[in-house]
Amino acid sequence: MSQGADVEVLETEVLVVGSGIAGLSFSLKVAEGAEVLLLTKKGRVESNTNYAQGGVAAAVAPDDSPALHLRDTLLAGAGLCHARAVEELAREGPERVRELVEWGVRFSREHGKLALGREAGHSRRRILHAADLTGREIERALLAAVADHPRIRVLEDHFVWELRTGMDPRSWRSRCTGALALDVEAGRFVGISARAVMLATGGSGRLYRHTTNPPIATGDGLALGYEAGAAVANLEFVQFHPTALYPAGSQAFLISEAVRGEGGVLRTVEGEDFLEGVHPAGSLAPRDVVARAIDRELRRSGAPHVVLDVSAVPADRIAERFPTIVAACAERGIELPAEPVPVVPAAHYQCGGLLTDWDGRTSLRGLFAAGEVACTGVHGANRLASNSLLEAVVYAHRAARRVLQELHDLGSVPSEAPPAPSLDGDGRDPGAVEARLRDLMWERVGIVRSDERLSAAREEISDLASEPLASSGDGPGAMRAREVGFLTRLATLVVRCALRRRESRGLHFTESHPYRDSERYLRDTVLAA
Ligand SMILES: Cc1cc2nc3c(=O)[nH]c(=O)nc-3n(C[C@H](O)[C@H](O)[C@H](O)COP(=O)(O)OP(=O)(O)OC[C@H]3O[C@@H](n4cnc5c(N)ncnc54)[C@H](O)[C@@H]3O)c2cc1C
């Protein structure tokens, strides 16, 4: 790709990066008082949100309350949740869910009322869902609302390459002033100057060999924010979903936890309930417990998978509640509920992220974060199922309110054209680096860790990062190489966090330090840039 000197500069009040639930709901809120430019690196639908199955947790049932939702979330978080962050989540949840309905989201109903599912760790039925395609329904409704909004402009195939920063003359501190983006189709750079930037770039499941996440989940926002000077936290807490359909491939098909909520039981290939005696909740134990038990069972038996037995769930219940899962299994010749489903764990959700306060502010002035890329303190050491979509809307709402309050104070930013990076140059094949990275993260920084494996991973990642990546010279090739660069940066940060936590807690389990050490580690692992 040849680089001209001229980079077009677009000006906006608020720049939003990402078109999942966090970016879209934030845009709708902030556009009540500001001009919004929303960039997304592929088609607008492509996001983790679009694949969410189970649903959104909110205390809306008569026998439920925010206090119970708070209690369940704190319990899952293994001592590291920020109680205030969870309180806001549980308290504001029902109101934000009502807003989703007002924006046009059609949740499933039963007997004239919202149908509520049950998932692991929830003491009540509180999962609002749209059959087993909840994320797709949310994406559909929010995209329609955004399309109708006169103050929101969406640019697809615009990949944020780096954040722009400058000195804030009022505070003499660095601040975010916008971004440099690659127009992937045209193969040229665009500068964006903005008073406030919201990163809503989602997660980083592509860091691992097996993942439920789609190809967009390359942790860009984390790397972008960290490189610009914002602090990150708790990256050692990676959630592995216990039940991805085997064989998992590069984007595994998820068998929602709600299937176990309806009575599905995990068994060895010989038919034994191996979670009995491991945890009082059996197959509905917290995800980290279940993923570790499966990992142990696979090592013991040498089998490539365990199975999910749904034979106790009535056929009409399965068909009505999980039509997509039934169809995906049928495609692979598995007849539900009669036949057992082969399943394995897969990387699913990143609990840590860019450290934010309760209003989405990162440690870099003018830079905000919401959704999976943010670490608000809600999840602690382990995310409670179906809390992430809720966290995204609750904290996007709070951030939008804060941005509108601060917009005047944030002042104007310079709009000069930034230099375009040179993309010429040889280097390692990004595809080969990515494949190696995903394998080594799976083997050494996966469900069960040790100091030795983490240190070996650190060495190997540093070797992979030591040489530049080759760029194929066109827009998609340049984006691919940059994404692999982001993944490599993120891998380094995950390993640094994991090595710092010399205990086992929640999703971080290490054989070198198999017990909790609350005297020394009852705190976030923060890496300041
Ligand atoms: C299979 C699956 C099932 C799930 N089920 C549930 C569930 O039932 N309940 C629940 O609560 N959670 C669930 N989750 C998790 C939940 O879906 C995600 O945490 C949530 O959707 C994240 O939303 P987000 O808006 O933060 O990010 P995303 O929805 O991932 O959106 C990120 C956006 O950022 C864009 N982007 C990224 N980098 C760049 C860049 N450099 N430049 C421009 N654009 C960029 C992407 O293209 C995308 O548009 C599930 C996840 C998966 C993968």
Side-chain angles (χ1 to χ4, degrees):
M1 186 188 302
S2 66
Q3 292 307 305
D6 299 328
V7 171
E8 181 195 0
V9 177
L10 303 175
E11 286 181 40
T12 183
E13 286 178 297
V14 181
L15 170 65
V16 180
V17 190
S19 55
I21 186 170
L24 294 175
S25 63
F26 172 84
S27 298
L28 286 166
K29 286 290 170 89
V30 89
E32 286 167 18
E35 290 287 330
V36 176
L37 175 63
L38 187 154
L39 303 187
T40 191
K41 66 179 174 179
K42 292 209 167 163
R44 61 192 71 197
V45 165
E46 262 317 299
S47 57
N48 270 1
T49 302
N50 201 44
Y51 297 90
Q53 293 179 347
V56 190
V60 295
D63 67 343
D64 201 357
S65 68
L68 286 174
H69 192 180
L70 168 76
R71 190 196 65 184
D72 293 344
T73 305
L74 293 181
L75 213 61
L80 278 197
C81 300
H82 296 194
R84 163 89 191 271
V86 186
E87 263 166 37
E88 302 296 350
L89 176 93
R91 193 174 48 78
E92 290 190 19
E95 182 58 28
R96 300 286 80 80
V97 161
R98 257 189 294 281
E99 259 165 21
L100 284 176
V101 174
E102 278 165 24
W103 278 326
V105 177
R106 294 182 294 241
F107 289 115
S108 298
R109 301 182 79 85
E110 249 171 6
H111 315 298
K113 289 193 240 152
L114 283 169
L116 297 173
R118 171 111 193 255
E119 289 188 348
H122 290 278
S123 58
R124 295 288 186 278
R125 281 192 171 266
R126 64 166 73 101
I127 317 298
L128 292 96
H129 53 272
D132 55 358
L133 288 174
T134 309
R136 189 181 296 182
E137 171 59 12
I138 291 174
E139 217 31 46
R140 180 202 61 75
L142 295 189
L143 280 172
V146 160
D148 283 347
H149 205 293
R151 275 210 283 235
I152 306 175
R153 180 178 174 206
V154 179
L155 292 177
E156 296 181 315
D157 297 307
H158 276 66
F159 171 69
V160 172
W161 188 271
E162 68 183 22
L163 294 176
R164 312 265 308 141
T165 56
M167 194 55 79
D168 180 7
R170 297 175 202 209
S171 62
W172 290 103
R173 280 169 53 209
S174 179
R175 65 162 293 185
C176 186
T177 57
L180 181 70
L182 176 67
D183 176 341
V184 183
E185 299 269 278
R188 63 181 161 76
F189 282 97
V190 186
I192 298 107
S193 81
R195 288 204 232 171
V197 176
M198 162 55 77
L199 284 178
T201 49
S204 59
R206 307 302 289 185
L207 207 46
Y208 287 90
R209 186 197 295 156
H210 300 303
T211 178
T212 60
N213 290 192
I216 56 104
T218 44
D220 304 5
L222 267 159
L224 286 164
Y226 185 77
E227 280 173 10
V232 295
N234 292 356
L235 298 179
E236 68 273 38
F237 299 116
V238 177
Q239 187 167 70
F240 291 83
H241 199 290
T243 55
L245 189 56
Y246 174 85
S250 88
Q251 184 183 342
F253 183 81
L254 187 70
I255 307 293
S256 166
E257 192 157 284
V259 176
R260 278 174 284 137
E262 295 295 335
V265 176
L266 282 162
R267 299 188 187 281
T268 65
V269 279
E270 293 94 25
E272 191 195 328
D273 177 353
F274 61 93
L275 276 149
E276 205 187 283
V278 171
H279 192 278
S283 289
L284 265 184
R287 282 183 187 175
D288 58 319
V289 175
V290 180
R292 274 199 298 280
I294 297 177
D295 189 70
R296 227 177 4 253
E297 170 53 26
L298 296 181
R299 283 168 204 256
R300 183 200 65 78
S301 65
H305 60 78
V306 293
V307 297
L308 183 61
D309 171 10
V310 292
S311 58
V313 188
D316 53 347
R317 180 74 186 150
I318 284 263
E320 174 209 359
R321 177 75 178 83
F322 307 110
T324 317
I325 294 175
V326 170
C329 287
E331 255 175 47
R332 292 160 176 83
I334 306 159
E335 207 59 43
L336 294 188
E339 293 181 283
V341 188
V343 290
V344 284
H348 186 58
Y349 186 82
Q350 163 199 286
C351 288
L354 286 165
L355 192 60
T356 67
D357 67 5
W358 297 309
D359 287 337
R361 287 181 291 197
T362 70
S363 60
L364 179 65
R365 187 165 158 75
L367 182 67
F368 295 75
E372 194 166 338
V373 71
C375 180
T376 60
V378 159
H379 306 304
N382 193 4
R383 173 186 73 125
L384 185 63
S386 288
N387 262 355
S388 38
L389 293 170
L390 187 69
E391 184 205 27
V393 274
V394 166
Y395 282 91
H397 165 83
R398 297 179 65 88
R401 212 173 45 189
R402 171 61 67 178
V403 168
L404 290 177
Q405 278 165 11
E406 286 191 359
L407 210 51
H408 177 70
D409 210 33
L410 280 166
S412 58
V413 293
S415 65
E416 74 251 16
S422 162
L423 297 172
D424 295 333
D426 293 334
R428 286 185 173 159
D429 169 24
V433 170
E434 185 188 11
R436 182 62 211 129
L437 195 62
R438 293 179 68 179
D439 277 351
L440 84 86
M441 290 298 286
W442 185 258
E443 283 152 17
R444 299 185 171 158
V445 198
I447 297 170
V448 175
R449 302 163 178 177
S450 72
D451 281 352
E452 201 188 359
R453 288 198 286 273
L454 289 173
S455 301
R458 183 177 53 191
E459 298 295 306
E460 212 177 327
I461 296 163
S462 130
D463 176 55
L464 287 174
S466 64
E467 275 185 47
L469 294 163
S471 174
S472 66
D474 58 2
M479 174 166 106
R480 194 78 208 99
R482 185 83 173 137
E483 283 178 330
V484 175
F486 287 154
L487 282 173
T488 313
R489 159 73 84 187
L490 184 53
T492 315
L493 298 175
V494 172
V495 172
R496 274 177 66 191
C497 286
L499 276 166
R500 278 212 193 168
R501 185 168 291 282
R502 297 165 74 81
E503 64 154 0
S504 290
R505 179 187 298 275
L507 298 165
H508 174 68
F509 182 82
T510 161
E511 289 167 342
S512 307
H513 313 281
Y515 303 106
R516 251 187 222 188
D517 178 353
S518 292
E519 245 172 59
R520 288 193 297 167
Y521 293 106
L522 195 58
R523 54 185 160 76
D524 294 328
T525 314
V526 179
L527 302 179

